[in-house]
Amino acid sequence: MELTFAAPLAAGQIVSLEYEVVYGPFRDRVTEYRRVAHARADNVDLVVEFPSAPRPARVWWATWDHHRDGTVLGETPVALAGDGSVHRFVPALEHAAAGFRWAW
């Protein structure tokens, strides 16, 4: 999925973007969600919410070497919150692919 703005941003212009992605029950099981910054993105806040069942057995905050497929460069285990979500705030993301991956 690629998100685009209606018009290019001017240098130094600030914009806030919030969106939701819902995966249907008939899709293959998804095992990751990553965002890519081709330039610099400040104040990136990622949240993934899992349904009450099933919930993943393990979750990691990860970085990849490519925006699609690619190799995991690093990962840190993350605990699910009581509501079944994981959250990470990143002050800046630049020329990077980062997000959550999980194992069922």
Side-chain angles (χ1 to χ4, degrees), residues 1-87:
M1 167 184 21
E2 183 173 319
L3 303 173
T4 58
F5 296 109
L9 299 177
Q13 184 179 358
I14 296 173
V15 67
S16 178
L17 173 68
E18 182 176 334
Y19 64 93
E20 182 176 330
V21 177
V22 178
Y23 296 102
F26 300 108
R27 289 185 53 113
D28 293 335
R29 277 203 155 163
V30 176
T31 59
E32 66 182 45
Y33 180 77
R34 65 177 96 170
R35 291 308 314 146
V36 175
H38 295 290
R40 182 179 171 94
D42 292 316
N43 302 317
V44 177
D45 198 23
L46 291 176
V47 178
V48 174
E49 298 175 353
F50 296 96
S52 57
R55 289 198 173 150
R58 298 181 66 190
V59 182
W60 301 268
W61 172 256
T63 56
W64 289 265
D65 65 353
H66 195 266
H67 69 284
R68 293 181 193 233
D69 300 318
T71 302
V72 173
L73 297 175
E75 61 186 13
T76 304
V78 178
L80 285 173
D83 65 355
S85 67
V86 289
H87 174 253

Side-chain angles (χ1 to χ4, degrees), residues 82-95:
D83 65 355
S85 67
V86 289
H87 174 253
R88 179 63 56 112
F89 173 79
V90 181
L93 190 62
E94 188 169 8
H95 303 293

